[in-house]
Amino acid sequence: QSTGSSGINAEYGGKFLCDDFNRKNRCKVEENPRSFSKVLRASKGAKHNLSTMNTSECNIESLFDGMDLISNLSRPRFETLIQNDLNKMKDAIQKFISKHSDIAINRVVLAGGTCKVPKVQSVIGQLFPNSPITNSSPDEVIAMGSASHAGMIGKYPSLSTKAESESDGTVSIPLCPTDIEVRVGDTVTPAIPKNTPLPCLKEIELPEGNVIVIEAGGKCIAKAEVPGSDDKSKVSLHLEILEDCSIEAIIKDSFTNERTSVHVPAPKGA
């Protein structure tokens, strides 16, 4: 559900300021579009102020027929005004959690100016008590995420056509179906965790050993033999899992510059 700043301002903060002004001056300021737009701007400023202050003072000179608007909006009052949207947001998140109960949520990122509101952060924190909340710069998160997603689409153009939109507005993206690990001798190195968004790239430094085994869910899916390493060798594995779950791997020795390629086809039904 949307709790964008314009909706909250127009329906709640703006209405409160208009009602307060109309009550004091016996008029209907919302009938004047120019005056009403001033009220909405003041409401938006008040919302941002209440993210860090307990009270915000709203002053507009000559708002309507030469009369000034002088009003105070407290944080508790504002939280009461937006309670309806908070309940809708809570219901939407709970519905999403119940639908995707098999997915582990490791971090929650708050995006958008409305997420600066302390009550919004509190409600989300209660819904995800075991997940860290990233809320340092909600205004910048959307731009950063969009730039990152654009970079991924630029590198993997097929992502733009394979992403599927669900009926609830969420977007389905391919995920790694199981843990991918690399075994060299008795040493097992975690590579890509289960439910990692695909496609995915990973560079792994490997210990000494001739036989390198790529495992999925503890089962061998690929094996490669490389020349014996010495003290000067530095062997690494470049691992790439595509959106169809196929794997392209390159084993590189930085000293000899030798490379061994490994291909694992997509599993049936992927």
Side-chain angles (χ1 to χ4, degrees):
Q1 298 289 336
S2 173
T3 55
S5 60
S6 60
I8 285 180
N9 284 333
E11 187 175 350
Y12 301 111
K15 186 176 185 304
F16 171 81
L17 294 177
C18 285
D19 289 346
D20 187 47
F21 183 84
N22 293 340
R23 178 177 54 82
K24 293 177 180 177
N25 299 284
R26 297 184 179 181
C27 62
K28 291 185 178 181
V29 67
E30 61 271 20
E31 293 181 353
N32 186 311
R34 184 174 181 181
S35 298
F36 187 58
S37 66
K38 292 181 180 180
V39 174
L40 295 184
R41 286 197 296 270
S43 171
K44 183 177 180 179
K47 187 193 74 171
H48 286 292
N49 291 339
L50 292 173
S51 298
T52 55
M53 303 170 60
N54 290 324
T55 304
S56 177
E57 184 175 344
C58 302
N59 296 327
I60 304 177
E61 292 184 3
S62 190
L63 174 63
F64 186 80
D65 286 346
M67 296 178 288
D68 302 335
L69 168 67
I70 302 176
S71 184
N72 290 321
L73 182 59
S74 67
R75 181 183 292 178
R77 178 62 175 170
F78 179 71
E79 292 174 351
T80 301
L81 293 171
I82 65 171
Q83 188 61 49
N84 186 47
D85 267 0
L86 292 176
N87 291 336
K88 290 181 180 179
M89 178 187 69
K90 187 175 180 179
D91 292 342
I93 294 175
Q94 288 175 332
K95 183 178 180 180
F96 176 84
I97 294 174
S98 62
K99 181 179 179 181
H100 302 280
S101 57
D102 57 327
I103 298 179
I105 299 176
N106 300 319
R107 182 178 296 274
V108 178
V109 180
L110 303 186
T114 298
C115 288
K116 288 183 176 181
V117 177
K119 188 65 175 180
V120 173
Q121 297 180 3
S122 174
V123 169
I124 294 177
Q126 293 171 7
L127 293 171
F128 300 97
N130 300 319
S131 302
I133 307 293
T134 300
N135 57 8
S136 56
S137 54
D139 287 330
E140 300 174 6
V141 167
I142 294 177
M144 294 170 63
S146 298
S148 176
H149 190 62
M152 289 292 290
I153 291 178
K155 191 167 186 178
Y156 302 98
S158 60
L159 274 180
S160 60
T161 59
K162 289 196 173 184
E164 299 178 1
S165 179
E166 301 288 348
S167 58
D168 61 359
T170 59
V171 177
S172 295
I173 59 174
L175 302 175
C176 184
T178 185
D179 294 320
I180 304 297
E181 300 172 326
V182 180
R183 181 185 295 273
V184 181
D186 295 329
T187 304
V188 178
T189 304
I192 299 174
K194 181 180 178 181
N195 291 328
T196 298
L198 299 181
C200 178
L201 298 172
K202 192 68 178 286
E203 192 85 18
I204 305 170
E205 296 294 333
L206 300 178
E208 294 183 10
N210 303 69
V211 180
I212 298 171
V213 179
I214 300 176
E215 299 180 345
K219 297 180 180 180
C220 173
I221 57 174
K223 181 185 292 187
E225 294 188 15
V226 296
S229 59
D230 53 32
D231 294 339
K232 296 181 180 180
S233 297
K234 186 177 181 181
V235 181
S236 63
L237 173 67
H238 177 87
L239 192 65
E240 179 176 7
I241 303 183
L242 303 179
E243 59 267 26
D244 63 355
C245 297
S246 62
I247 297 177
E248 300 290 342
I250 299 176
I251 303 169
K252 299 183 292 186
D253 188 326
S254 60
F255 181 70
T256 63
N257 205 30
E258 293 184 3
R259 297 188 173 201
T260 303
S261 298
V262 178
H263 171 73
V264 180
K268 293 181 179 180

